[in-house]
Amino acid sequence: MDADALQKLIHLLQVTDDPLIQEQALITLSNSAAFSVNQDIIRNLDGLSIIGGMISDCIPKVKEKALNALNNLSMNIKNQEEIQVYITQVCGSVESAPLNSDLQLAGLRLLTNMSVTSDYHHKMINSIPCFLHLLSEGTERTQIQVLKVLVNLSANPAMTRHLLRAQVPSLLLLFESCINRDILLRALVFAANLKKNVKSEDSTGIQDQYSEDSIFFTLCRDSTTFAQKLASLLHHPDTEVKEQVVRILTQ
């Protein structure tokens, strides 16, 4: 698609109130954004702010398609600098969307891209309880997507305490041999990242910062149940799973 065609699509989003036309225009822009040259063109045409403005649309399908378009556009560092202003709004959309809906997943996919670097992690701190709720209550598809966000956040030492303070009563249920491999592996990476960051911190008085039902007590404070689950997972058939278990046990 050339710049003229992209400009017409962006203009169409500005002038039409027809949700079906909005959806189709957003789908076309989203597909076009799969090409890096178009990511720059759309940004230079002020397309990011126009698409971003549609996140607040009251029609879920339009909002979902806007999030999908921003997701493809966020593969570009310069675009991320503009898209980051919508992170709080995207987090709100994820929280308010029906559980396991396409709208919720679209928001999580965008947050996954926006959390690949640590630049915008601080904008997601208030949504950590929401992410962990989705981890407990969501379908496998939702769990995988929210774990991608949590793994990205857990790799950042500045986010460690925010994550460890949170409460997820069902967290240990993810560390079972029968769990979907993609979920199990990401849950192990999440735990390994947190344990690594805790170890590198000054541990003096660190326990006093966390409640007994926090992730810290579940994963990091000599948890017999967690240790037993890890020992069992050493016999898991998947090599990557076993590597992450060893990574946790040797920290």
Side-chain angles (χ1 to χ4, degrees), residues 65-84:
K65 298 303 186 292
L67 289 168
N68 286 338
L70 288 179
N71 180 47
N72 285 348
L73 288 161
S74 69
M75 306 299 282
N76 176 310
I77 295 297
K78 286 187 176 179
N79 285 358
Q80 284 200 359
E81 292 172 2
E82 293 193 25
I83 293 170
Q84 58 92 11

Side-chain angles (χ1 to χ4, degrees), residues 218-237:
T218 303
L219 299 182
C220 303
R221 185 185 176 272
D222 299 329
S223 168
T224 304
T225 307
F226 187 44
Q228 290 171 343
K229 288 179 180 292
L230 292 174
S232 176
L233 289 172
L234 283 170
H235 304 288
H236 196 280

Side-chain angles (χ1 to χ4, degrees), residues 108-127:
L108 288 171
R109 280 192 291 269
L110 176 54
L111 292 177
T112 300
N113 280 349
M114 295 300 294
S115 61
V116 168
T117 69
S118 60
D119 295 347
Y120 311 117
H121 284 183
H122 62 284
K123 291 175 174 281
M124 303 182 198
I125 289 172
N126 290 339
S127 294

Side-chain angles (χ1 to χ4, degrees), residues 31-144:
N31 291 339
S32 300
F35 300 94
S36 57
V37 63
N38 288 341
Q39 294 169 11
D40 293 328
I41 292 171
I42 292 169
R43 181 184 69 253
N44 292 332
L45 291 170
D46 200 29
L48 297 178
S49 64
I50 292 162
I51 296 169
M54 305 198 79
I55 296 174
S56 58
D57 198 282
C58 60
I59 298 172
K61 279 292 180 186
V62 173
K63 186 183 293 192
E64 175 202 332
K65 298 303 186 292
L67 289 168
N68 286 338
L70 288 179
N71 180 47
N72 285 348
L73 288 161
S74 69
M75 306 299 282
N76 176 310
I77 295 297
K78 286 187 176 179
N79 285 358
Q80 284 200 359
E81 292 172 2
E82 293 193 25
I83 293 170
Q84 58 92 11
V85 301
Y86 302 106
I87 287 177
T88 302
Q89 200 174 345
V90 175
C91 288
S93 294
V94 168
E95 191 162 353
S96 62
L99 181 63
N100 305 317
S101 63
D102 289 339
L103 173 57
Q104 190 171 70
L105 287 163
L108 288 171
R109 280 192 291 269
L110 176 54
L111 292 177
T112 300
N113 280 349
M114 295 300 294
S115 61
V116 168
T117 69
S118 60
D119 295 347
Y120 311 117
H121 284 183
H122 62 284
K123 291 175 174 281
M124 303 182 198
I125 289 172
N126 290 339
S127 294
I128 288 174
C130 168
F131 298 152
L132 294 169
H133 171 73
L134 296 182
L135 185 59
S136 295
E137 302 297 328
T139 60
E140 288 188 351
R141 193 168 66 140
T142 300
Q143 287 178 313
I144 290 170

